[in-house]
């Protein structure tokens, strides 16, 4: 059901953030505070979050390939644009 899928996605997303956010903080705290450092780390954390959600949904039987593709393409374009600007 949707509730079980949502609960599974929330659980794995929480575990992902519990692991990745402290690692990102350690990495960022060892470098100067600049957008050129923060933006790629933030983009990587968010891309991993998206991938975690997509993989868990796929495993649960939810197949939103077109939606995931559009989101991934848009996110990648915005992340690349942020690096250029």
């Amino acid at each position: 059901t949707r509730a079980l899928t949502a609960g599974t996605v929330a659980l794995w997303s929480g575990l992902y953030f519990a692991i990745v956010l402290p690692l990102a903080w350690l990495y960022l705290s060892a470098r100067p505070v600049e957008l050129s450092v923060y933006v790629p780390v933030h983009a990587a954390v968010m891309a991993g979050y998206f991938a975690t959600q997509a993989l868990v949904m796929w495993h649960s039987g939810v197949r939103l390939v077109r939606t995931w593709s559009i989101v991934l393409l848009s996110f990648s374009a915005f992340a690349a644009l942020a690096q250029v600007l």
Side-chain angles (χ1 to χ4, degrees), residues 57-68:
M57 284 190 282
W58 182 275
H59 182 66
S60 298
V62 178
R63 307 289 195 265
L64 301 172
V65 176
R66 189 178 337 156
T67 302
W68 295 333

Side-chain angles (χ1 to χ4, degrees), residues 42-65:
H42 179 268
V45 168
M46 291 295 101
Y49 172 58
F50 173 76
T52 299
Q53 288 184 320
L55 289 171
V56 172
M57 284 190 282
W58 182 275
H59 182 66
S60 298
V62 178
R63 307 289 195 265
L64 301 172
V65 176

Side-chain angles (χ1 to χ4, degrees), residues 19-79:
I19 294 168
V20 170
L21 289 180
L23 294 174
W25 182 82
L26 286 172
Y27 179 82
L28 290 172
S29 65
R31 282 154 183 69
V33 180
E34 296 178 0
L35 282 177
S36 63
V37 175
Y38 175 77
V39 170
V41 172
H42 179 268
V45 168
M46 291 295 101
Y49 172 58
F50 173 76
T52 299
Q53 288 184 320
L55 289 171
V56 172
M57 284 190 282
W58 182 275
H59 182 66
S60 298
V62 178
R63 307 289 195 265
L64 301 172
V65 176
R66 189 178 337 156
T67 302
W68 295 333
S69 300
I70 291 169
V71 169
L72 183 60
L73 180 64
S74 300
F75 179 80
S76 299
F78 285 130

